[in-house]
Amino acid sequence: MGKKTLEIYSVELSGTKDVEQTDKEDGKERYRGLKNCFHSKKDHHTEKLNKELDLDDHKLSIKELEKKYGTNIITGLSSTQAAELLAQNGPNALTPPKETPEIIKFLKQMVGGFSILLWIGAILCWIAYGIQYSMNKSSSLDDVYLGCVLALVVILTGIFAYYQEAKSTNIMSTFNKMIPQQAFVIRDSEKRTIPAEQLVVGDIVEIKGGDRVPADIRLLSAQGCKVDNSSLTGESEPQARSSEFTHDSLLETKNIAFYSTTCLEGTATGMVINTGDRTIIGQIASLASGVGNEKTPIAIEIEHFVHIVAGVAVSIGILFFIIAVSLKYQVLDAIIFLIGIIVANVPEGLLATVTVTLSLTAKRMAKKNCLVKNLEAVETLGSTSIICSDKTGTLTQNRMTVAHLWFDNQIFIADTSEDHSNQVFDQSSGTWASLSKIITLCNRAEFKPGQESVPIMKRIVVGDASETALLKFSEVILGDVMEIRKRNHKVAEIPFNSTNKFQLSIHKTDDPNDKRFLMVMKGAPERILEKCSTIMVNGQEQPLDKSTAEAFHTAYMELGGLGERVLGFCHLYLPADEFPETYTFDVDAMNFPTSNLCFVGLLSMIDPPRSTVPDAVTKCRSAGIKVIMVTGDHPITAKAIAKSVGIISANSETVEDIAKRLHIAVEQVNKRDAKAAVVTGAELKDMSPEQLDELLTNYSEIVFARTSPQQKLIIVEGCQRQNAVVAVTGDGVNDSPALKKADIGIAMGIAGSDAAKNAADMVLLDDNFASIVTGVEEGRLIFDNLKKTIAYTLTKNIAELCPFLIYIIVGLPLPIGTITILFIDLGTDIIPSIALAYEKAESDIMNRKPRHKKKDRLVNEQLAIYSYLHIGLIQAVGGFVVYFTVYAQEGFKPSILINLRVEWEDSNVNDLEDSYGQQWTWYQRKYLEWTGYTAFFVGIMVQQIADLIIRKTRRNSIFQQGLFRNKVIWVGIASQIIIALILSYGLGSITALNFTMLRPQYWFVAVPYAILIWVYDEVRKLFIRLYPGSWWEKNMYY
Amino acid sequence: MVIQKEKKSCGQVVEEWKEFVWNPRTHQFMGRTGTSWAFILLFYLVFYGFLTAMFTLTMWVMLQTVSDHTPKYQDRLATPGLMIRPKTENLDVIVNVSDTESWDQHVQKLNKFLEPYNDSIQAQKNDVCRPGRYYEQPDNGVLNYPKRACQFNRTQLGDCSGIGDPTHYGYSTGQPCVFIKMNRVINFYAGANQSMNVTCVGKRPRHYRDKGRDEDAENLGNFVMFPANGNIDLMYFPYYGKRFHVNYTQPLVAVKFLNVTPNVEVNVECRINAANIATDDERDKFAGRVAFKLRINKT
């Protein structure tokens, strides 16, 4: 039994049912992605799944069901029963995927990145103390303190990163709660709406077209009910549902509707048989949640960077450990050097800075309607090279709008912008007067009352999409439509149906002298024209001859070719003698004429593109991002919208276009001539992956029309095979696999389902394509700015490291202490490096190609070399000058310092001679050493100010970028100076911190080097701008 | 360290490395062509050359601010420190009376240390000054006029002078001499025109003591000082610096411990009593004082 169900189940999942037997192979290939989503659970949990699937509710009769669940299909459950069951079984909601326990997340932060290195440093400290203690019981506790400080640094940065992550997760979870699902249920013999979470087994629920099925339901009655099971089975065809038991398998029988699938049309009543995690989808979800997410590009970049820095730290550390040992230093000393080297090399504050920078951008993006679920997705968006976008709602406004009118043998363009304010077509003609009357009267749509203060375009309308469009159109032009309708009292009406293809109504006119009835009609243009014998031109009725019919056809074809939905309008004044005022119209008997009418005009509607989209698409194009439209719409409409937003540019043609222009068969066209392609779902179905690859590489402008959500996944996979970073928009449950598969899944905030939002990395609050492009811009900016931040942070590491190396090799008194280094890394440098996140883009950000995942690294060779070996070395030299100045002016000239280390550090030598013959006690020297630390610290700080300023740009001159445009940089500089002042003058008396009060003039010793850094970098940038592509740029541009 | 995304066979890796070291197609050595290497070497030559020049220049400018004669700042040396001779590793003078080798090195050091104090050398190089007042030698308009020093004769050290001393500064008899000297500080007028002297006491560090009783004071026993009273004369001050005060002889105070309790460690603290030298600095244990350990092992 178990085996059998499994087989059926997997067949369902691979979706072979709707695939022809002949292309079974292809079908399997195509649904691979979906299968993968569910794959892992199969192996491990088949046993459990099969047991759960062993249900027979679909085989039971209604009476048996009532008995089994203790319910009644008329009265439903009682409230008390329901409450009991709810308490017993829990709410009807999927348990969110098992999250990593908080403690594990926390510990991960503790050991991730550089933390391991710092832990090693801390442990080495304690080991060193242990050795010292075993040799001399009264050895100083300095090493223990240092070890504790290092441990504290790791713990604090860990807590910080953990807090940041938790915060960003919280944003998302609050967002999720905003949209509770409702269910329509019968309880206590009453119909009521309750949150779907409160449903219990045995509840009688009603569903209708458009609803999401709130639980697993055994249908009791159904009227034309069809469901979309694609999220469960991968079948894109709507499935009819009825109350009959049709198949032994629970998954195949027609009388079961599954949780989280969508009811597409019709209505149904059913009994809840499973809730929450016990539903079929719940079982799959809980099993599939183990599917790991791929690493985001920025995570890979940061890992790469951590590896570089850790590699440098460890190799220099080990190298100098060996050097130290071979220079006959004691092992204990060598260990302490190793600690110093590690601490100097590791940019302790950097990962925290990166997190802050990313979350600042995430906040900025949220303001621009991109809600980012995980911080790293911020940058992923920036490296996007292909965007697969939905059409409806994303590229378009998601509402029908009147786009063109045709009357008096002329096509007029209506304003389709978001507010409709600017209707410029000629409204003086008599024909327009008649047409507008028909538009107003032959329309059943109405505004919901109480919306007088709401702008017309935003009012809520009861009625279908096209009628809504017409109502709003006429309201904008004519004013109060409801009032006009009142004045022209409606006496009879035939609503639109698909057989008639027209809609008709008969009105009394508002002209008190005209007692005739006015019959107005709209419908499919060719049907309307058939019924007409005259046509109105310039307000005058004229017989409908061949030439006018020809004009009509031309106009009709033209508007149809624009992908617009065209309606024809006609009217007839019924003669007063035949139809007196008291005449009773009978719509069933049709006791009135419906032919020989007067044709008035055509009107076409489209879901128009959002006004911001064409700009956004142009931006994408210049940014080297390919925009692919994926829609379920008709190819003509899709193509028309693609053309109007620029996805297919004005001068590019499809193969079909070329064929039409040259009057040759499609097969004869050289495919290389066409830049654009419109591919339908049916064509896509027959393509092999190789053909799809070819399509994606050869055409720069692609529109996929009439596609199913499953095909979206195939398209995404195809794009990813081209090594592209793919962003995909989606809203339906069945888009989730594509959203998950994509490098960045973008769910729609308004139209999107919860499942889509869960699978996505980002939620678009306004559903607007233009917001994605803003997001891309922000993402690219953050990548650039992170580069700057990292370059800034890495630079001073050399200035911190060199003192140690010189100390070991030359034997100078230690120029800068480990604690002091920590005060730079975690004190003065933090705010400035965050400030770089606020830097504006250097002009070209959306004019360059998306970054190549493997070639354009965040930290590349040039960045590391320029930071380490150029600016870093200048800083080190500058720092040493300050250090030597302090020592020389106190009595120790540079020459005497060489190889002084051993005596200098010996606490029993209390009469060490300086260059002048004066003698120093150990403490006096120690104080001087701390003054040296402070001086070196100040030297680095001063040069870091220059470093901060030069890092504002990588190519442009600082003066092009503007020195004062980014105010936060100046806050950063101020913070650096203030922190340094506090450390030196405020905390100078606390010996443990090793800071002393520095003479004011020493603050300026490094200034020449700061200026040198600035000038040198300006020269570097100048040559880069002057000689693009040269040896210089290749080696010096990071 | 490097995460292997695609598994590469060992041969491939070697091949890739080979190609990285020398790529015969593009003539690249370690990823660069010959010209590129030449450029990069030239660049770094120029860049680091310039940086060295800049460093030299700034150091030269800085050294111009420093005089040869006195340091620019002396704020750290307000209180001169005290130090003992013989200089031992942990400031502990351990004498095994019967074991000549244990103290012989001290004796050698002291011989060497005291050599410049020989009366003959002193008489030859230094002036006889008037005691009890500073020996000031103003430049009187001549820049950096060389300074004379006052005599401190070895004979002033009495029993500790070691001249014709068969006991080797008392080390062979268990009555060792320890010499106290005060650190040199340029232009420091020690004592502020009043006489000053060194005093020594046995003093066990507070946390090693037994209930307020200081055993070390008792264990130390008697001692004599040379010059008498541990006096340091004002005439040895001020010091004018190594360069211009060439033959400066640092005054010494010798302490001869006569009957230290043998076979115990005795902590001794000597401090200077001078009007302008504070001896109570919490952090600097050697400011105006010196602490050392004395242990005489007798069998």
Side-chain angles (χ1 to χ4, degrees), chain A residues 545-698:
Chain A
D545 53 28
K546 214 166 181 189
S547 69
T548 40
E550 190 71 19
F552 160 86
H553 275 291
T554 319
Y556 181 28
M557 290 315 290
E558 187 169 344
L559 296 177
L562 293 172
E564 295 177 0
R565 187 188 293 174
V566 190
L567 289 176
F569 293 83
C570 64
H571 71 188
L572 183 69
Y573 282 98
L574 301 175
D577 45 347
E578 269 180 66
F579 302 94
E581 250 182 286
T582 51
Y583 189 85
T584 326
F585 292 95
D586 184 345
V587 292
D588 294 322
M590 298 279 263
N591 56 352
F592 46 86
T594 54
S595 58
N596 292 328
L597 311 177
C598 171
F599 191 85
V600 182
L602 289 173
L603 196 147
S604 67
M605 284 171 293
I606 196 162
D607 179 8
R610 289 165 178 270
S611 54
T612 46
V613 169
D615 269 353
V617 172
T618 319
K619 248 186 183 173
C620 281
R621 183 149 298 164
S622 64
I625 301 168
K626 202 161 160 179
V627 182
I628 294 178
M629 183 199 268
V630 183
T631 175
D633 260 1
H634 196 274
I636 293 177
T637 318
K639 192 174 158 192
I641 291 291
K643 278 210 150 155
S644 68
V645 297
I647 288 179
I648 294 180
S649 50
N651 51 3
S652 59
E653 295 173 306
T654 62
V655 175
E656 291 80 13
D657 287 336
I658 296 174
K660 204 167 147 195
R661 178 163 55 85
L662 301 175
H663 301 291
I664 53 175
V666 173
E667 291 75 29
Q668 291 174 306
V669 178
N670 179 7
K671 283 188 178 164
R672 302 271 168 225
D673 292 344
K675 268 171 70 191
V678 179
V679 182
T680 62
E683 289 165 1
L684 183 61
K685 205 171 180 175
D686 296 333
M687 276 186 195
S688 69
E690 291 74 35
Q691 283 171 312
L692 179 60
D693 289 352
E694 202 189 303
L695 176 81
L696 289 169
T697 35
N698 288 346

Side-chain angles (χ1 to χ4, degrees), chain B residues 78-82 182-183 188-192 196 232 237 271-280 286-289:
Chain B
T79 312
L82 253 52
M182 188 165 71
N183 283 351
F188 180 66
Y189 290 82
M196 52 189 163
I232 294 179
F237 302 95
R271 55 176 71 219
I272 185 146
N273 302 306
N276 60 352
I277 300 175
T279 58
D280 53 356
F286 291 85
R289 59 197 147 146

Side-chain angles (χ1 to χ4, degrees), chain A residues 913 916 918 1001 1009 1035, chain B residues 32 58 67 73-75 184:
Chain A
E913 235 176 81
Y916 296 90
Q918 303 187 100
Q1001 65 266 35
Y1009 285 87
N1035 285 284
Chain B
R32 280 178 188 281
T58 40
S67 89
Y73 302 112
Q74 287 182 285
D75 54 312
R184 294 190 292 256

Side-chain angles (χ1 to χ4, degrees), chain A residues 115 117-129 140-155 336 339-340 343 818-819 822:
Chain A
S115 305
L117 274 183
L118 292 179
W119 279 121
I120 293 173
I123 289 165
L124 284 178
C125 278
W126 292 323
I127 291 175
Y129 176 75
S140 85
L141 286 165
D142 284 357
D143 286 334
V144 177
Y145 293 146
L146 183 59
C148 292
V149 168
L150 288 179
L152 195 72
V153 165
V154 180
I155 292 169
I336 290 172
I339 297 164
V343 172
T818 319
I819 304 257
L822 289 176

